[in-house]
Amino acid sequence: MKYEIIFSGIGGQGVILAGSLLGEAAVSCGLRAAQTQAYGVSARGGFTKTDVIISDDEILYPYALTPDLIIVLAEPALLHYLNVSNDNCKVIYDSSIIDASKYDLDKRYFGLPIVEIAKELGSARSANILSLGIAASFIVDISLEQLDNVLEKRFRGKILGKNIEILRKGIELGKSVALTR
Amino acid sequence: MSRRSKEVSWKAFLREESLPHQWCAGCGYGVILKSMLYAFEKSGLAPKDVVVVTGIGCWGKADDYLYTNTVHVTHGRALPIATGIKVANPSLKVLALMGDGDSATIGGNHLIHSSRRNIDVTAIIANNLNYGMTGGQYSCTTPLDSRTSTSWYGDPEPALDICRLTETAGASFVARTTVYHVGTIERYILMALSHEGFSLVEVISPCPTYFGRYNKMPKAPIMLNWLKDKAISIERAKNLSEEELSGAIVTGVFADKKGHSFLSRYNEIQARAKKDLEGE
Amino acid sequence: MTGKIGFILGNEAIVEGALVSGATFFAGYPITPSSEIAERASRRLPQVGGYYLQMEDEIASIAAIIGASIGGAKAFTATSGPGFSLMQENIGLAVMAEVPCVIINVQRSGPSTGLATKPAQADIMQARWGRHGDHSIIAISPSTVQECFDLIIFAFNVAETYRCPVLFMADATVGHLREGCVLRSKDEVEIINRKRPPEGLDEYYPYKADEDLVPPMATLGGHYLSRFHSSSHNEKGLPTSSPEEAKDLIKRLYDKIEKNKDKIVKYKTFDVDGSDYLLIAFGGAVRAARQAALDAKKRGLKVGVLQLQTVWPFPAEYVCELAKDKKGVVVPEMNMGQIIGEVRKAVPDAIPVVGANRYDGEPLAPYEIMKALDEVLSL
Amino acid sequence: MAIPEGEIMVVEGKKFRIEMRRDRCKGCEICVEFCPKKVFEADELGRPVPVRVDDCIGCGACELRCPDFAIEVKSKGVS
């Protein structure tokens, strides 16, 4: 098995963190993972993306060539992924902050109000963790236990509790849109 | 005169077989070297405890005449090399010997930051007011309007005051004297050697071959008398106006502050880091 | 940390490997894409009684690690393109004064400030020839996070063995790559420390080499007085302008690396036996090369990969041996073609050698290597 | 007064003995200028000759100021 997942957005949204947490959870489950990132000069605001490759075999090329899933958290990022070559790719964009009506998107694209849901759950800044959950629902071999573990290593106290809740909501959301291959 | 009867004589630090040295007739560097050796003797240091780092320039040849550990390096970089040696092995007494070009011109940035860092190194700057080794070009300490081989019509650039610069930047011991005031060289170097933190002694030295010759002082005695006339003690200078001090060489101890050397501060950092590691 | 698997950046693995090597001193100046090395070093070194010094520039950084190594520490610095350029003069000092140290260059696109956050492999010739004067140099290049960890230990080992600077030529694709990495402990790896002179010598000559052409390095403050010199010097460490002594020194500095090449050169091969074509790559480009070889296999082509873990000294004899029965060679590099020149010099003239190059700041992709392979097929 | 090259020239005065290394002396005339008793005079090459050694008061100024490690002043009776 091999998955190629991209988290994208603008700097400051924590997309790179989401990617590294996913990779770390995969490695904890005995899988291989490679996570790369591309970012501009500004730490805040510019286009940012991370590629996460997860496989049960050695990962050679560490960048996504035929992504299976792209999560898009900001409009500048969507512009990068308007012409995805892989027919089976799913592109999930945040419909609460991106007005997709001006783009001619095919059925591979669908919107989920990611930031809005995160906000409802008490933390708009945890949109990345919600995204992590969505992506995790996609990969059957990553256990919830290991995902919780990586969150516990990264967060403390109230924020940890909130993020664990948001992670679960993300997984549920992901399942609801039937992402599993 | 026979000197003090200490355990290690100043001669133990001198590579006598390398004499006569390569400095020109009347160059003050032999005097500074000898004063440094006297200070070594008085300090009670043994040759193996001392590391002398030299850069490039006439004063950068000083390591050829020393029986200490010596490290001869690239132009301008004696201070960061000395910094590395001292941090890696704090039990050593580390000196950086630099000329005015080495220390303040090409190496000026390191001089500022070694002062700010207050690294536990002793800098002995022999300032002959020009680049002697390459034929008498102007350096950043050449007095304004002086004639040199690259300022035939006068140096258009004002001179940098090394002591005021380093004192402002945070060096905790700063002193200046001249080769004319020979006894104070040894005294200041000795003070610098026992100082914790960055210590700097600047010695203005005659270069009759170039600077002197180009500026109507072709012989060492003339240059020494010129240094004598130009020198004003820091105590006296306090009561003089900027105008009265123009062109003067202010001598004396500019800074002598205790505490907060780089190494003592870093010990604190290591203690905090170890606590952090235990807490993990 | 024994055998712990970390999911870490290549840059972080470099620091962990350096610590296992026994490094206790880092001096550097922050620069993208190497800064995570400085950041991690600043947190980890004081925990183990070591030192992190943030210097005023890269010139001071390389100077400080040379000083620290003279002072007895294992020392390293990390930088990227512009900083690497600034370090060249003092890398020459480390060569001449024979001071072991490790310089990491996480290569980015250039020239000048170029594309600060984007990868390249365009400093590999600068690594070989960046300094003035005749000399040999050792350069090592990792292609995975695990190799960042393992090869930095190797880098320290060869630096200590041969009393020389070692250039660790990573690139942004590897430095900013997160992967699983086994963080081996000190007991699980071979650690080499510099050779010390025996006690009881009448006089210690700091530059008198043993049979392996490497002079033992005395501990400052120990039994012997020592001298280090940037200018042409004799065995005593005193400056000399004698043509014989100058020639002997330059020759020895060169030979101690070139004549020990078989111990310094490290490489990996993938499916080279019985292959018709050969890809020769180093660093980040290896990943694309291996993927391309796999893709080519699906097309029925037999393609092997040679990964140069040690790029300098260049294993010309081995490259020739490996390539001589192939139908063609492709050299993928994230530059306009640098190592390809060495490959061309090494392989027989009849064998076509084609480059697969990318120099726009984007990582080289497998399909670009495939295109170059197609070009070889068409010849 | 002819002083040989390459060896230590010892000039005895009443109270002090001046030892000079002509192989090291470069003839800068600092000792000539700064001796308070004007013990030295420069020869035609500018090199010092202690012509008035009996006037020496043993202040050590010449030794201290000599850049060439070429002069030592010793008290007589002290070896």
Side-chain angles (χ1 to χ4, degrees):
Chain A
M1 66 83 142
K2 186 181 175 193
Y3 298 93
E4 297 186 2
I5 293 156
I6 297 171
F7 295 91
S8 66
I10 53 174
Q13 289 185 307
V15 296
I16 290 173
L17 177 63
S20 73
L21 293 174
L22 182 64
E24 193 176 344
V27 167
S28 305
C29 293
L31 298 168
R32 313 258 192 142
Q35 181 243 331
T36 59
Q37 48 218 295
Y39 57 93
V41 173
S42 54
R44 298 275 178 272
F47 168 68
T48 309
K49 66 131 182 172
T50 175
D51 294 5
V52 187
I53 318 288
I54 293 169
S55 172
D56 52 6
D57 199 2
E58 185 180 4
I59 296 164
L60 300 178
Y61 195 59
Y63 298 91
L65 288 170
T66 50
D68 301 291
L69 170 68
I70 302 172
I71 296 180
V72 178
L73 293 183
E75 191 156 351
L78 184 62
L79 300 177
H80 277 258
Y81 300 111
L82 286 175
N83 299 300
V84 175
S85 59
N86 183 2
D87 290 342
N88 299 317
C89 181
K90 300 265 191 291
V91 183
I92 296 177
Y93 60 90
D94 187 340
S95 57
S96 55
I97 49 177
I98 300 169
D99 175 15
S101 63
K102 54 187 158 178
Y103 305 110
D104 183 21
L105 301 176
D106 61 39
K107 64 178 171 38
R108 293 177 301 170
Y109 293 77
F110 45 96
L112 284 175
I114 296 173
V115 168
E116 205 173 283
I117 294 168
K119 208 187 279 177
E120 277 167 19
L121 293 172
S123 174
R125 296 194 58 187
S126 292
N128 61 337
I129 303 300
L130 196 78
S131 308
L132 170 65
I134 294 169
S137 74
F138 192 60
I139 307 160
V140 289
D141 313 70
I142 294 183
S143 71
L144 185 60
E145 188 194 345
Q146 290 304 338
L147 283 165
D148 285 349
N149 273 347
V150 298
L151 289 184
E152 278 162 21
K153 269 199 252 172
R154 174 66 61 162
F155 303 104
R156 295 263 180 279
K158 248 172 120 177
I159 298 171
L160 172 64
K162 202 104 264 163
N163 277 338
I164 284 181
E165 187 191 340
I166 290 171
L167 173 77
R168 278 163 173 69
K169 180 69 185 175
I171 292 171
E172 191 186 303
L173 260 178
K175 281 181 179 157
S176 75
V177 292
L179 279 171
T180 314
R181 279 196 288 205
Chain B
M1 291 300 286
S2 67
R3 300 194 50 93
R4 313 121 196 121
S5 51
K6 280 269 174 175
E7 227 174 279
V8 185
S9 148
W10 66 273
K11 283 197 173 170
F13 296 90
L14 177 68
R15 262 192 90 85
E16 239 183 310
E17 62 269 40
S18 295
L19 296 176
H21 55 59
Q22 294 180 28
W23 293 312
C24 302
C27 171
Y29 290 176
V31 179
I32 305 173
L33 178 69
K34 198 193 287 177
S35 302
M36 185 177 80
L37 301 181
Y38 291 167
F40 284 164
E41 177 182 294
K42 270 198 178 170
S43 70
L45 290 162
K48 71 180 183 65
D49 301 328
V50 178
V51 186
V52 172
V53 186
T54 53
I56 302 298
C58 295
W59 185 226
K61 298 291 288 174
D63 60 306
D64 295 0
Y65 313 112
L66 289 173
Y67 265 123
T68 62
N69 297 292
T70 64
V71 182
H72 183 89
V73 302
T74 43
H75 192 29
R77 316 304 165 200
L79 273 176
I81 300 244
T83 298
I85 297 172
K86 181 65 185 182
V87 171
N89 197 340
S91 66
L92 297 166
K93 181 56 71 181
V94 183
L95 293 92
L97 270 47
M98 303 165 287
D100 41 314
D102 218 17
S103 67
T105 319
I106 188 171
N109 200 26
H110 309 313
L111 187 66
I112 293 170
H113 291 282
S114 299
S115 301
R116 178 183 61 80
R117 204 171 276 128
N118 205 20
I119 182 72
D120 309 52
V121 162
T122 297
I124 297 176
I125 298 177
N127 179 0
N128 64 357
L129 310 172
N130 74 149
Y131 291 112
M133 183 163 271
T134 46
Q137 297 83 10
Y138 68 86
S139 80
C140 77
T141 61
T142 300
L144 183 69
D145 261 343
S146 304
R147 198 179 191 205
T148 69
S149 67
T150 50
S151 61
W152 211 240
Y153 312 106
D155 180 3
E157 303 176 23
L160 181 76
D161 186 326
I162 290 174
C163 289
R164 277 168 60 196
L165 172 78
T166 51
E167 181 202 354
T168 307
S172 56
F173 181 85
V174 178
R176 174 159 53 215
T177 185
T178 82
V179 168
Y180 173 79
H181 305 84
V182 57
T184 54
I185 307 174
E186 175 190 337
R187 187 149 58 87
Y188 291 161
I189 292 176
L190 193 58
M191 287 169 83
L193 287 174
S194 62
H195 188 83
E196 191 184 307
F198 188 56
S199 54
L200 180 150
V201 179
E202 181 191 5
V203 187
I204 316 287
S205 179
C207 176
T209 302
Y210 291 115
F211 184 81
R213 187 155 52 92
Y214 291 141
N215 292 284
K216 302 191 177 97
M217 298 180 283
K219 288 201 148 191
I222 309 173
M223 282 215 78
L224 285 178
N225 282 321
W226 177 74
L227 290 174
K228 176 181 152 193
D229 295 343
K230 286 268 191 187
I232 294 177
S233 78
I234 193 164
E235 292 78 18
R236 245 185 79 209
K238 277 175 192 146
N239 304 316
L240 297 176
S241 68
E242 194 124 320
E243 220 169 40
E244 287 169 304
L245 282 173
S246 155
I249 297 168
V250 179
T251 59
V253 177
F254 286 66
D256 189 1
K257 291 175 281 190
K258 300 250 174 298
H260 303 298
S261 77
F262 177 80
L263 283 172
S264 66
R265 285 206 206 97
Y266 209 88
N267 285 341
E268 283 289 310
I269 299 298
Q270 286 176 333
R272 281 182 220 160
K274 276 171 197 157
K275 238 181 178 170
D276 183 58
L277 184 66
E278 284 152 18
E280 253 179 22
Chain C
M1 277 255 167
T2 309
K4 192 180 121 183
I5 293 183
F7 184 69
I8 57 174
L9 282 177
N11 280 346
E12 296 169 337
I14 286 171
V15 177
E16 293 304 324
L19 287 168
V20 169
S21 298
T24 53
F25 187 97
F26 178 98
Y29 187 88
I31 184 167
T32 303
S34 77
S35 296
E36 294 84 4
I37 299 177
E39 287 168 0
R40 194 162 182 112
S42 76
R43 290 182 71 153
R44 297 282 282 123
L45 279 164
Q47 289 180 339
V48 298
Y51 293 86
Y52 167 86
L53 264 77
Q54 191 155 302
M55 301 303 286
E56 48 273 20
D57 55 30
E58 286 87 348
I59 300 173
S61 304
I62 174 82
I65 70 159
I66 289 170
S69 180
I70 288 171
K74 286 189 183 176
F76 65 122
T77 183
T79 189
S80 187
F84 193 57
S85 295
L86 283 176
M87 288 183 183
Q88 292 302 328
E89 186 195 17
N90 278 338
I91 295 173
L93 168 64
V95 170
M96 189 61 149
E98 299 185 71
V99 183
C101 55
V102 176
I103 298 105
I104 299 144
N105 177 2
V106 186
Q107 294 170 85
R108 72 188 214 190
S109 180
S112 189
T113 41
L115 294 160
T117 62
K118 308 272 190 170
Q121 297 182 302
D123 307 347
I124 201 70
M125 275 297 163
Q126 187 190 17
R128 177 63 189 87
W129 296 110
R131 288 119 347 247
H132 59 282
D134 277 321
H135 61 282
S136 186
I137 196 84
I138 300 173
I140 291 163
S141 190
S143 72
T144 65
V145 173
Q146 188 68 56
E147 282 183 347
C148 285
F149 182 86
D150 294 339
L151 291 180
I152 198 79
I153 297 172
F154 178 66
F156 274 100
N157 282 349
V158 287
E160 293 285 315
T161 304
Y162 300 103
R163 260 189 86 168
C164 63
V166 170
L167 309 179
F168 197 75
M169 303 298 286
D171 61 67
T173 65
V174 179
H176 278 175
L177 168 66
R178 249 188 209 90
E179 282 183 313
C181 176
V182 182
L183 301 164
R184 296 180 233 280
S185 74
K186 271 191 168 74
D187 325 321
E188 295 170 294
V189 294
E190 187 194 14
I191 305 290
I192 297 173
N193 296 316
R194 63 194 64 170
K195 190 167 66 178
R196 299 296 194 185
E199 286 179 30
L201 298 174
D202 289 339
E203 198 181 345
Y204 162 67
Y205 287 10
Y207 289 116
K208 190 172 163 49
D210 293 339
E211 245 170 56
D212 62 356
L213 304 174
V214 183
M217 191 167 161
T219 311
L220 291 195
H223 286 288
Y224 306 113
L225 289 184
S226 195
R227 307 181 79 89
F228 294 83
H229 217 291
S230 62
S231 301
S232 194
H233 51 264
N234 60 21
E235 290 181 337
K236 289 185 173 181
L238 291 166
T240 172
S241 49
S242 137
E244 292 79 29
E245 284 176 326
K247 183 183 167 193
D248 286 352
L249 174 61
I250 291 176
K251 184 83 166 54
R252 182 175 63 74
L253 291 179
Y254 185 81
D255 282 351
K256 76 173 176 181
I257 289 171
E258 295 294 326
K259 290 201 167 158
N260 287 304
K261 213 163 152 178
D262 56 330
K263 291 172 215 133
I264 297 166
V265 166
K266 234 178 152 58
Y267 55 81
K268 269 183 164 178
T269 54
F270 304 94
D271 302 322
V272 290
D273 291 340
S275 66
D276 296 324
Y277 301 93
L278 184 63
L279 310 179
I280 302 177
F282 64 96
V286 171
R287 309 291 289 256
R290 289 187 59 197
Q291 184 64 52
L294 209 66
D295 295 347
K297 200 173 172 183
K298 289 176 196 153
R299 285 174 52 189
L301 297 168
K302 288 183 191 159
V303 180
V305 178
L306 167 63
Q307 176 194 354
L308 303 172
Q309 291 175 306
T310 303
V311 183
W312 304 115
F314 187 77
E317 303 79 6
Y318 180 69
V319 166
C320 178
E321 184 60 33
L322 207 59
K324 68 173 194 252
D325 60 347
K326 306 291 183 242
K327 293 178 187 161
V329 175
V330 172
V331 184
E333 300 177 78
M334 286 188 279
N335 58 45
M336 293 184 83
Q338 297 194 8
I339 281 302
I340 192 171
E342 301 305 306
V343 174
R344 283 202 174 113
K345 279 192 257 174
V347 306
D349 287 345
I351 298 169
V353 179
V354 171
N357 306 95
R358 184 146 195 176
Y359 40 88
D360 59 353
E362 295 301 315
L364 184 69
Y367 71 84
E368 291 166 303
I369 299 171
M370 194 66 83
K371 238 166 81 185
L373 198 57
D374 281 332
E375 197 186 324
V376 172
L377 287 166
S378 72
L379 289 172
Chain D
M1 190 191 300
I3 296 178
E5 298 282 341
E7 59 184 70
I8 299 172
M9 164 76 197
V10 181
V11 184
E12 301 275 352
K14 278 182 190 152
K15 288 184 182 158
F16 298 94
R17 174 196 303 143
I18 300 176
E19 296 181 3
M20 307 194 66
R21 297 281 304 249
R22 303 265 346 220
D23 57 333
R24 293 181 185 171
C25 174
K26 297 189 177 103
C28 66
E29 299 184 25
I30 288 176
C31 55
V32 178
E33 170 78 16
F34 291 97
C35 173
K37 290 293 171 186
K38 300 290 168 210
V39 166
F40 303 94
E41 267 181 24
D43 68 10
E44 61 284 358
L45 290 173
R47 294 186 298 187
V49 183
V51 289
R52 286 176 285 273
V53 66
D54 285 348
D55 294 354
C56 176
I57 53 168
C59 70
C62 55
E63 181 180 328
L64 199 60
R65 289 193 182 279
C66 174
D68 297 322
F69 296 83
I71 308 177
E72 278 191 56
V73 181
K74 286 180 177 163
S75 215
K76 288 183 82 170
V78 180
S79 60

